[in-house]
Amino acid sequence: IESSSTDAVVTTDPVEENNALQHNQVTIVTSKDISIAIPNEWCDQVTVNPKDNFYLTDQTLFAIFHADTCAENELGWIFSICRYTEEEYEELYLQSQSKQYVFAKDDSSYYCVLLPTDVQSDDPDVNAFMDNIRENEIKSILDDMVHRNSLKYF
């Protein structure tokens, strides 16, 4: 997994939780005091928070991209996780036309996932990889994030 943002810290060691090595090992990525677990089976194919990318905003915690596609043409966006304050939620999220939804909250923030509305690669295999993450993997990543960071489901 690559990360060119100074805000994101990547831990690449196998993660041991509940005193047992996880069957499916994960890589932990932390940004602005929030952590997510990326499955190791595909973490070498993604990059997190690529530097100077237009998908990164002040609210972005994690922007996940297909690494090769992002490096080649700044496409390959798979999904992002953003954190909004109450004011930002009302001003930015509720007014947005983006494909996004709130999945968690804490005492001061709302957490939402943003998804692309357009094709992010010309390569059918890359699109299949990205679609699989969005359709089959994202729920477990978000569930883990809620539990790992002691958030509440929205």
Side-chain angles (χ1 to χ4, degrees):
I1 195 167
E2 300 172 25
S3 175
S4 53
S5 169
T6 56
D7 288 336
V9 176
V10 178
T11 303
T12 55
D13 297 328
V15 174
E16 190 171 307
E17 295 182 349
N18 300 327
N19 297 323
L21 195 60
Q22 293 282 50
H23 187 320
N24 296 324
Q25 293 180 352
V26 295
T27 297
I28 305 303
V29 183
T30 302
S31 175
K32 301 175 186 173
D33 76 348
I34 296 291
S35 298
I36 62 170
I38 304 290
N40 282 352
E41 64 195 72
W42 51 266
C43 75
D44 62 338
Q45 298 176 60
V46 300
T47 187
V48 178
N49 297 353
K51 190 174 178 146
D52 299 326
N53 190 283
F54 62 87
Y55 286 101
L56 298 177
T57 67
D58 291 341
Q59 294 76 29
T60 304
L61 294 171
F62 308 99
I64 312 294
F65 287 79
H66 181 262
D68 292 343
T69 306
C70 182
E72 185 179 313
N73 56 23
E74 294 193 5
L75 292 174
W77 179 43
I78 303 172
F79 68 92
S80 293
I81 297 174
C82 294
R83 175 170 53 194
Y84 294 105
T85 64
E86 180 82 33
E87 184 177 295
E88 290 168 337
Y89 174 77
E90 292 173 5
E91 289 179 18
L92 301 174
Y93 177 82
L94 293 178
Q95 305 302 318
S96 174
Q97 300 298 312
S98 299
K99 185 177 180 182
Q100 61 182 334
Y101 59 91
V102 175
F103 66 94
K105 63 181 277 186
D106 61 21
D107 292 338
S108 60
S109 302
Y110 293 89
Y111 297 83
C112 79
V113 62
L114 287 79
L115 302 162
T117 58
D118 57 352
V119 175
Q120 289 291 312
S121 174
D122 294 329
D123 183 330
D125 291 335
V126 170
N127 279 321
F129 169 78
M130 294 188 297
D131 287 344
N132 179 60
I133 291 173
R134 289 185 206 112
E135 294 167 11
N136 301 312
E137 305 271 351
I138 199 165
K139 183 179 179 342
S140 63
I141 292 169
L142 299 179
D143 286 345
D144 177 85
M145 180 181 155
V146 168
H147 295 290
R148 182 177 301 281
N149 298 283
S150 300
L151 304 175
K152 298 175 197 125
Y153 284 101
F154 185 77

